[in-house]
Amino acid sequence: METHEGQYIGGAWRPSAGRDVIEDVNPATEQVIATVPAGTAEDVDAAVAAARGAATTWGRSDRRTRLDALTRLRDGLAARREDIVRTVVAELGTPVRTAEAVQAGLPVAVASTYLEILADYPFEEQVGNSRVFAEPAGVVAALTPWNYPLHQIVAKVVPALAAGCTVVLKPAEDTPLVARIFAEVVDAAGLPPGTVNVISGRGAEAGAALASHPGVDLVSFTGSTAVGRQVAAAAGSNLARVALELGGKSANVILPGADLARAVKTGVSNAFLNGGQTCSAWTRMLVSEADLEQAVDLARQAAERFTPGDPADPATRLGPMVSARQRDRVRGCIEAGVAAGARLVTGGPEAPEKPGTGFYVRPTVFADATPEMSIAREEIFGPVLTLLSYADEDEALALANATDYGLAGGVWAADQDRAVAFARRMATGQVDINGAAFNPRAPFGGFKNSGIGRELGRHGLEEFLQPQSLQL
Ligand code: NAD
């Protein structure tokens, strides 16, 4: 078992102000694999002071300096690929093939997109008789979740640095080791001390202290909608800006005439990616009444191929839930679906027979759900898919828009224009047409209760900028 004692503040590892620790548990073995300090408000004060101290120098650094530093950071992440994969498999339980592509590969790809954007971003433009400059927002508090831990860190810290901001990061307590790797890479990249600070700690203590800190100019939060509301309220009392990436209950809309077999198979894989612990997962599948029984059959077959197994085994597609708490929550949601009278197509709330140890949940599909049921409205964050049927396109649209969320979705149709026309009427930040690929340069973020602001690409950079205009 590893024991870590330091917090990364002002360019050095310093002892935490408190003595409390967080245990990092491997969800497949249920063993404690490491402890890290549970940071305190005092640690947060020191980190914010360090970030504030570094803000003027970094904020005035030129494009070349930032590009060089971010290139070293990106290359450092790429060089630690194997450690990152091993760590995320161990502390989160992501199946190793997915961990390679998404947990280790995507953050490097996202960092590369910011090198390209920064290379020619216009930080200055002429508007009539004004010269308008894009200035850094200042000191950024970054609060990140555990489900794509390194991606979510990179999607905040890299554009913040590109914009000239300094950062205090409080990563999720369930995945502290991959955040430490990030801090080590930052350290090796030789950024000026205080430019990036990383505090391990619990949300209610270190997280709350950071979100409400008067020395912070912008709070960038990814996590649950409930905590997002608290974070926004805390930041609001200091008039700090907020960027919120919150939950989802995304609809995969399969219109009549679409390639049903492909749409259902891709839809199940999307819903169960990373054990369904994905904010943008298509957890609702909308099919026409005429296609329903065939879709149910296809979804059952696809879901039953997600056999729970050891995440370190390359053949495994479904690992454990991140924690016992998350497993219990997901099982409770499945029980609620059964109690509400939805048809259980496959899976269920019982623990799978194998593996005997670990926080596993059966891959579960429901049909005949109504939009009022919790399985059709609430984010579950587990391998649970709900099928809903519609009579016509108007009803499909009403169902697609019938949740408080609006993060992501899919639309499938024989004719692309028809799918695009449908997607344009969805109150949803990002929609994939006929299974099109994820684009790390496209703005990512939600309508309605799925958030405020956007990450990734140029839009993600601009979250961390503020204009100054000089009239000439
Ligand atoms: P969470 O809201 O519990 O925690 C997120 C982060 O906030 C963690 O670092 C946590 O320690 C911290 N935190 C908790 N309470 C806090 C408080 N009172 N003040 C300040 N910080 C606090 O979320 P989670 O369980 O880690 O992640 C799962 C949720 O994240 C899901 O709802 C999911 O949809 C959402 N999510 C959204 C996106 C997106 O981009 N929209 C991406 C990934 C995850």
Side-chain angles (χ1 to χ4, degrees):
M1 193 188 79
E2 300 171 30
T3 307
H4 297 281
E5 286 172 354
Q7 303 282 21
Y8 188 67
I9 300 173
W13 292 96
R14 300 192 193 165
S16 184
R19 307 190 57 159
D20 192 12
V21 298
I22 293 170
E23 292 187 334
D24 190 16
V25 176
N26 178 321
T29 64
E30 305 185 26
Q31 301 296 312
V32 177
I33 54 174
T35 62
V36 299
T40 65
E42 219 178 302
D43 292 328
V44 169
D45 280 343
V48 173
R52 205 123 294 282
T56 305
T57 309
W58 187 252
R60 293 201 183 134
S61 62
D62 61 15
R63 193 191 303 266
R64 188 72 258 158
T65 305
R66 293 182 203 170
L67 275 172
D68 289 347
L70 291 177
T71 301
R72 293 195 297 274
L73 201 158
R74 188 271 315 267
D75 294 349
L77 290 174
R80 298 286 299 267
R81 181 187 166 86
E82 281 176 23
D83 282 350
I84 292 165
V85 170
R86 197 175 337 105
T87 302
V88 175
V89 170
E91 67 182 353
L92 170 51
T94 300
V96 62
R97 290 280 178 250
T98 307
E100 287 164 357
V102 188
Q103 306 285 16
L106 181 61
V108 174
V110 167
S112 295
T113 66
Y114 279 114
L115 293 175
E116 286 168 22
I117 291 166
L118 179 58
D120 56 14
Y121 187 79
F123 285 97
E124 199 183 315
E125 62 170 339
Q126 196 72 26
V127 180
N129 69 318
S130 301
R131 196 166 300 155
V132 180
F133 298 88
E135 290 291 310
V139 172
V140 170
L143 295 152
T144 53
W146 45 262
N147 57 335
Y148 293 95
L150 187 60
H151 166 67
Q152 286 141 345
I153 289 170
V154 166
K156 296 188 190 308
V157 177
V158 171
L161 294 174
C165 296
T166 59
V167 182
V168 178
L169 166 68
K170 205 298 286 171
E173 48 269 57
D174 284 319
T175 49
L177 293 182
V178 71
R180 289 189 82 82
I181 294 178
F182 179 78
E184 288 164 14
V185 169
V186 165
D187 191 53
L191 274 76
T195 308
V196 177
N197 308 274
V198 184
I199 300 287
S200 61
R202 298 197 175 87
E205 191 174 1
L210 183 56
S212 61
H213 203 290
V216 165
D217 297 301
L218 187 156
V219 182
S220 178
F221 170 86
T222 298
S224 58
T225 297
V227 175
R229 282 182 206 280
Q230 295 174 26
V231 164
S237 67
N238 294 320
L239 297 180
R241 281 165 64 184
V242 288
L244 305 174
E245 296 289 344
L246 308 175
K249 188 74 185 177
S250 298
N252 181 24
V253 185
I254 307 175
L255 295 175
D259 180 344
L260 190 67
R262 191 167 155 245
V264 173
K265 192 163 171 255
T266 307
V268 170
S269 297
N270 178 301
F272 291 178
L273 180 71
N274 201 25
Q277 300 167 123
T278 302
C279 53
S280 54
W282 298 343
T283 49
R284 296 182 298 147
M285 186 180 286
L286 275 50
V287 291
S288 70
E289 285 167 0
D291 287 335
L292 180 67
E293 285 317 313
Q294 203 189 340
V296 164
D297 206 38
L298 288 163
R300 183 181 47 71
Q301 289 171 34
E304 288 174 355
R305 283 197 282 270
F306 280 77
T307 316
D310 176 3
D313 179 346
T316 295
R317 294 175 73 195
L318 186 64
M321 301 291 94
V322 67
S323 61
R325 186 171 140 252
Q326 186 67 11
R327 177 212 40 207
D328 295 346
R329 227 182 64 84
V330 174
R331 284 198 192 153
C333 293
I334 298 172
E335 279 165 4
V338 172
R343 170 165 43 133
L344 186 62
V345 175
T346 187
E350 310 81 20
E353 280 159 26
K354 283 198 258 177
T357 309
F359 308 134
Y360 288 91
V361 172
R362 288 173 188 249
T364 297
V365 176
F366 282 108
D368 303 338
T370 62
E372 299 75 37
M373 291 181 186
S374 59
I375 53 166
R377 279 188 298 113
E378 288 170 17
E379 182 172 60
I380 297 174
F381 239 54
V384 183
L385 174 68
T386 301
L387 275 83
L388 297 128
S389 62
Y390 60 82
D392 56 29
E393 263 189 48
D394 284 342
E395 194 189 356
L397 184 70
L399 282 174
N401 288 336
T403 76
D404 293 336
Y405 296 112
L407 186 58
V411 180
W412 302 75
D415 169 26
Q416 180 169 304
D417 290 346
R418 187 172 163 206
V420 168
F422 187 95
R424 295 281 291 129
R425 294 197 289 158
M426 289 167 73
T428 300
Q430 192 165 95
V431 184
D432 300 344
I433 305 297
N434 285 333
F438 179 74
N439 176 2
R441 281 181 185 74
F444 180 88
F447 284 30
K448 302 195 283 185
N449 289 358
S450 288
I452 297 174
R454 295 293 180 269
E455 287 194 325
L456 304 182
R458 181 173 57 78
H459 295 79
L461 174 67
E462 289 172 349
E463 287 289 335
F464 298 102
L465 293 169
Q466 58 185 336
Q468 180 190 45
S469 47
L470 303 187
Q471 285 58 249
L472 305 169

